[in-house]
Amino acid sequence: MATTQLSYSNLAANSNLLQPAGTTLVAAPTNNMQLADAFPELTVLRVTNTDDDTDLTFTVKAGDHPPALAAGQGDLEVTVAFGTAQLIGPFESGRFVQSDGSMLFESTTTTGTVTALKVPRNT
């Protein structure tokens, strides 16, 4: 299975960020996306669907045990309507973090982008 690596776009307290271009979605089941060294509670994903007539399903994969004690709640699947963007998160470490500290994602289509935003803690 090929894995596309995502990286954070860091939000800064009391500041702004020009909307990043994002990473083109890759479609499951042969491909997935990974956010290494993830901070789930500080992570918000912006998923866009640039298709003109088809909804996509974006999946945040449940973690593995350990450390994801709540992984039994399963994957989080979000429908993104065509021509729209959806903000997803923040997330719970106990449900979504993998044993290597990453988070995994899948999409049903490649017609869109994903941006991982890292929300700062209070400064």
Side-chain angles (χ1 to χ4, degrees):
M1 180 183 303
T3 301
T4 298
Q5 294 298 319
L6 303 178
S7 59
Y8 278 114
S9 292
N10 293 310
L11 297 172
N14 305 311
S15 188
N16 65 312
L17 175 69
L18 181 64
Q19 175 61 48
T23 302
T24 301
L25 295 173
V26 294
T30 57
N31 296 296
N32 61 17
M33 295 157 280
Q34 180 183 47
L35 182 59
D37 299 321
F39 297 91
E41 284 79 10
L42 305 178
T43 302
V44 174
L45 302 173
R46 181 178 188 269
V47 179
T48 65
N49 182 354
T50 56
D51 197 340
D52 60 0
D53 64 355
T54 305
D55 293 348
L56 71 83
T57 301
F58 187 85
T59 304
V60 181
K61 301 297 289 178
D64 50 12
H65 182 74
L69 301 175
Q73 294 178 27
D75 298 343
L76 172 64
E77 293 185 348
V78 177
T79 300
V80 182
F82 59 87
T84 68
Q86 188 84 17
L87 295 174
I88 308 168
F91 303 96
E92 188 180 353
S93 293
R95 181 173 175 188
F96 297 109
V97 75
Q98 303 297 316
S99 59
D100 63 0
S102 70
M103 291 178 68
L104 293 175
F105 313 101
E106 292 180 349
S107 174
T108 55
T109 182
T110 60
T111 58
T113 62
V114 58
T115 302
L117 300 168
K118 186 175 177 188
V119 179
R121 294 183 186 255
N122 293 338
T123 55

